[in-house]
Amino acid sequence: MTTATAQAKSRNASDAIAPDTTGLNFFRADPSLVDLLQIHLPQKLVDHIRPHLDRLGALAGDHLDACARLADRHPPVLHPRDRFGRDVQWIEYHPAYRELENAAYGQFGIHAMSHRKGILGWPETYPAAAKHAFTYLFNQAEFGLGCPINVTDGAAMLLSRFGDDRLKAKYLDGLTQTDMTNLTQGAQFMTEKEGGSDVGKLTTTAVREGDHWRLTGEKWFCSNADAKLAMMLARPEGAVNGTRGVGLFLLPRTLDDGSPNSYRIVRLKDKLGTRSMASGEIKLEGAVAYAVGNLDRGFVQMAEMVNWSRLSNGVKSTALMRRAMHDALTVARGRTAFGHRIIDLPLARRQLLKLLVPLEQALSLCFVTASTLDRAEQQGSQEAALLLRILTPTLKFRSTRDARKVCGDALEMRGGIGYVEEFASARVLRDSYLGSIWEGTSNIVALDAISRAIGRHGAESALAADLHARLKESTAIPQSYRDTLKHAIDRAVRFATTVASSSDNESDARRATTLLYHTASAVTLAWEAGQIAERRGDARRLLLSKLVVDHHLTPSDPYAIGSGSREQAIADALFGEQPVAVDRDSALLAS
Ligand SMILES: Cc1cc2nc3c(=O)[nH]c(=O)nc-3n(C[C@H](O)[C@H](O)[C@H](O)COP(=O)(O)OP(=O)(O)OC[C@H]3O[C@@H](n4cnc5c(N)ncnc54)[C@H](O)[C@@H]3O)c2cc1C
């Protein structure tokens, strides 16, 4: 027996015991991604990014995944001094983390796609919908680094929008570099011990000194703690209390003469997840910083970065769900129990369906939100800006929460070794708990959607108009089902508006946001199904839409029997190899 044959035999044996995704191309294994790219991007751009996504998909399913496993097992270490005994702090990263950085920043330039022309040979900057296809694939391998990539991207956006010419000339090029030796990574320091949600309570002060400011105080959660530059909030001396008195500052890690700026990373956090990435506590001891934009609009300006990050969080949570799904399907297809493949056992198939639906809902709304952002920012559409105002917190709220459940249930599909750290499932589950905390906890984000986006800005009208327009376009969808969706839009929007109308209803904000999410995703899935059916005769997403309606928007009798066989047929259609035609879908749509 040759070595190769022996290896193949032993691989087959281990595959049967513990089927693993290693070697799976995460791009090729994800036809939904290509479908949605074709809906939301011009064909020329899709054709251009496709080979790059293919390359990233192969890396994410293999080498980058191996790096992520190592980087998670060997978290960063903070050193107080350099090797010459000087008080120069530095963070030691495992070489695997450095490889992940090389791929994200150096090879693919994900952080720079919105800012620098020419990344991956494309002559323009990329729309958000294209950039986040890369975010989505990369984060299926490594979630920890997802944060630094995103805050570097967000810092470049804030600087280019609000920075003065001098600051831009000094820092913008570095933030968007793909040459690793010249790259300036970014960070975002807002949270203080006194309050993360209640930002207006922050106590870091800024005192003017010539052309710069001196900052004193503490930041409690600083991800990418040793970034060369951080965008941060502080209160200028004499400014009013609350968020209105908060200014936005750029904090460089080193000063112009090369000496370290006057702040210390006091320690690194020992975290549940994102263990590969350094989150620290920072003490500012008269650190030099530069004002960015109008000082009395610091919080409003920072909110633009927060909203970009909330979309990115939605995408990254969706990535974790896809990763968990790849793992669950690989196990369910590759392992047998009681003489059957696990995927062929009715109860297991139903559980897989419960993983698939929230994942595809999230993917649909990620693309709708990213395209809306593109319309609002590239084309200056006011209507898109209002729609974005409600879509962003709605996506962030539900997709980050669903990721916890999907990743946990996918872990169980692996059986006992899902609980063992040698496979990705445990890491993915640990990572999945973060999305709903940072850039606003679930409560804060639901209140943003209901009390502010709807209560203050009236964004429900833009959402209702958008969803009705999508339904109108979906002429391939059976009329009775379109009527069901139409009714669902009206009910969800009415409910959310009622909740928003009085602070007495605040405790219903999460429920209202969830209903908006399910309604928006059910409509979007159906709208996509019409287009995909036209393009390649497959209307599977219509079935997903129907499952959302059945499970989340329709009252059900807990004792009813009989939905099992229909759901089984839907699961067969969704997990089967064959495309599903609209007429067959129409039959399955019937309750
Ligand atoms: C791994 C990690 C990395 C992070 N990285 C960064 C970073 O790089 N930069 C940064 O600035 N921050 C960062 N954070 C901080 C994060 O954004 C905050 O922890 C978060 O915003 C919550 O703030 P808090 O911890 O002060 O909790 P609190 O604000 O004290 O919240 C505690 C609880 O009270 C609830 N609550 C608060 N207000 C309300 C309300 N009005 N109604 C109902 N419930 C409410 C919250 O939902 C939460 O459940 C990070 C956090 C983690 C875990």
Side-chain angles (χ1 to χ4, degrees):
M1 197 160 49
T2 64
T3 319
T5 322
Q7 276 173 352
K9 264 202 143 177
S10 104
R11 166 94 214 215
N12 286 344
S14 62
D15 273 357
I17 296 163
D20 190 29
T21 57
T22 303
L24 186 70
N25 181 319
F26 288 163
F27 176 67
R28 292 187 191 177
D30 192 348
S32 300
L33 176 58
V34 178
D35 282 335
L36 299 195
L37 286 172
Q38 285 183 320
I39 288 175
H40 290 281
L41 294 175
Q43 190 60 44
K44 197 168 165 210
L45 180 53
V46 177
D47 292 343
H48 181 81
I49 60 176
R50 215 177 161 133
H52 300 292
L53 291 171
D54 190 54
R55 190 160 56 93
L56 180 55
L59 283 169
D62 206 327
H63 181 61
L64 296 181
D65 191 41
C67 289
R69 190 174 310 141
L70 270 175
D72 177 72
R73 304 290 284 177
H74 302 278
V77 178
L78 175 65
H79 294 279
R81 290 186 144 194
D82 70 7
R83 63 198 169 117
F84 305 108
R86 292 175 303 198
D87 290 329
V88 177
Q89 290 191 307
W90 63 288
I91 296 178
E92 182 182 354
Y93 293 91
H94 192 273
Y97 186 78
R98 294 297 188 203
E99 278 212 47
L100 292 163
E101 287 185 322
N102 270 321
Y105 296 108
Q107 286 184 47
F108 290 94
I110 303 172
H111 66 299
M113 286 180 162
S114 299
H115 313 284
R116 188 182 278 270
K117 294 181 179 176
I119 302 288
L120 298 174
W122 182 248
E124 298 299 324
T125 55
Y126 286 84
K131 171 180 74 179
H132 282 312
F134 289 88
T135 308
Y136 168 71
L137 282 177
F138 185 84
N139 278 266
Q140 288 177 44
E142 162 65 7
F143 181 82
L145 182 57
C147 164
I149 299 165
N150 168 58
V151 283
T152 302
D153 181 11
M157 179 272 284
L158 276 193
L159 183 59
S160 60
R161 274 186 204 174
F162 303 113
D164 61 32
D165 290 344
R166 190 179 53 114
L167 277 188
K168 281 196 242 186
K170 199 165 169 186
Y171 295 109
L172 202 50
D173 182 68
L175 282 169
T176 61
Q177 272 287 346
T178 53
D179 171 354
M180 295 303 284
T181 49
N182 293 322
L183 171 68
T184 302
Q185 289 190 34
Q188 177 204 43
F189 302 164
M190 286 200 297
T191 306
E192 299 190 358
K193 281 182 208 160
E194 290 75 13
S197 309
D198 193 356
V199 179
K201 280 207 313 212
L202 66 77
T203 60
T204 297
T205 54
V207 177
R208 189 165 204 146
E209 190 183 88
D211 69 343
H212 59 264
W213 295 71
R214 291 272 179 189
L215 268 45
T216 307
E218 277 195 44
K219 292 289 169 183
W220 181 228
F221 267 102
C222 304
S223 291
N224 213 16
D226 58 346
K228 286 190 194 155
L229 175 163
M231 289 294 183
M232 58 168 291
L233 295 179
R235 194 178 306 282
E237 220 180 13
V240 296
N241 288 336
T243 48
R244 282 181 46 226
V246 164
L248 175 64
F249 294 89
L250 183 156
L251 174 81
R253 180 132 173 79
T254 46
L255 301 177
D256 290 346
D257 64 2
S259 62
N261 200 355
S262 305
Y263 67 87
R264 278 184 303 124
I265 304 168
V266 182
R267 62 172 176 162
L268 298 184
K269 305 278 198 195
D270 184 8
K271 297 172 288 179
L272 173 69
T274 62
R275 294 181 65 81
S276 61
M277 181 268 294
S279 299
E281 296 164 22
I282 283 183
K283 210 162 184 168
L284 301 142
E285 297 160 328
V288 169
Y290 303 98
V292 179
N294 292 337
L295 274 184
D296 58 352
R297 290 187 55 80
F299 182 72
V300 176
Q301 291 166 181
M302 183 62 109
E304 298 204 12
M305 184 168 175
V306 169
N307 282 325
W308 265 37
S309 294
R310 285 181 178 175
L311 166 59
S312 171
N313 276 344
V315 175
K316 289 185 290 208
S317 288
T318 310
L320 289 178
M321 287 192 263
R322 175 66 76 196
R323 174 58 198 272
M325 187 80 219
H326 282 323
D327 273 79
L329 273 176
T330 304
V331 173
R333 287 186 173 128
R335 192 167 155 86
T336 56
F338 301 98
H340 295 279
R341 290 191 317 160
I342 289 170
I343 196 170
D344 295 326
L345 298 167
L347 197 48
R349 220 165 162 79
R350 185 172 197 180
Q351 289 313 114
L352 288 167
L353 210 52
K354 286 179 149 184
L355 306 182
L356 185 68
V357 174
L359 152 65
E360 297 290 352
Q361 282 180 273
L363 190 65
S364 293
L365 286 194
C366 283
F367 272 100
V368 165
T369 309
S371 308
T372 306
L373 183 135
D374 289 328
R375 275 195 293 131
E377 294 188 351
Q378 312 298 322
Q379 298 161 25
S381 158
Q382 289 301 312
E383 169 223 329
L386 194 58
L387 177 61
L388 184 67
R389 186 67 192 80
I390 180 78
L391 281 176
T392 305
T394 303
L395 168 72
K396 151 81 161 109
F397 171 72
R398 193 67 260 158
S399 63
T400 58
R401 296 208 65 75
D402 285 351
R404 296 173 165 204
K405 184 161 181 355
V406 168
C407 296
D409 289 348
L411 178 151
E412 192 173 331
M413 191 54 73
R414 198 173 261 297
I417 53 165
Y419 200 68
V420 174
E421 289 281 357
E422 284 164 339
F423 289 86
S425 306
R427 168 167 53 92
V428 169
L429 177 64
R430 288 188 282 104
D431 285 348
S432 73
Y433 269 71
L434 183 52
S436 68
I437 297 174
W438 62 11
E439 304 291 0
T441 59
S442 302
N443 287 353
I444 294 300
V445 174
L447 287 172
D448 186 47
I450 302 303
S451 306
R452 277 180 287 283
I454 294 183
R456 208 178 288 168
H457 301 289
E460 78 285 358
S461 58
L463 182 64
D466 179 81
L467 297 179
H468 281 303
R470 285 182 204 278
L471 269 191
K472 214 167 169 192
E473 276 176 32
S474 309
T475 44
I477 309 301
Q479 186 59 46
S480 61
Y481 188 58
R482 283 161 75 191
D483 290 343
T484 303
L485 290 174
K486 191 167 173 294
H487 184 58
I489 299 170
D490 294 339
R491 282 197 78 181
V493 168
R494 206 177 314 124
F495 181 71
T497 314
T498 307
V499 173
S501 66
S502 163
S503 56
D504 289 347
N505 302 330
E506 199 169 288
S507 60
D508 278 325
R510 285 171 73 140
R511 206 151 59 90
T513 312
T514 293
L515 285 167
L516 289 178
Y517 180 87
H518 290 315
T519 306
S521 56
V523 171
T524 305
L525 284 160
W527 171 77
E528 292 159 351
Q531 297 184 58
I532 300 166
E534 216 165 90
R535 183 173 288 129
R536 59 177 187 87
D538 191 350
R540 256 180 258 217
R541 293 185 91 70
L542 193 53
L543 299 180
L544 293 166
S545 168
K546 173 68 173 158
L547 288 172
V548 175
V549 169
D550 285 354
H551 289 285
H552 299 296
L553 301 172
T554 312
S556 64
D557 171 2
Y559 301 103
I561 285 190
S563 66
S565 59
R566 203 178 116 264
E567 245 180 52
Q568 190 64 33
I570 291 182
D572 289 345
L574 288 172
F575 293 121
E577 300 292 318
Q578 297 305 316
V580 175
V582 180
D583 47 5
R584 191 174 143 207
D585 285 341
S586 310
L588 288 172
L589 285 179
S591 304

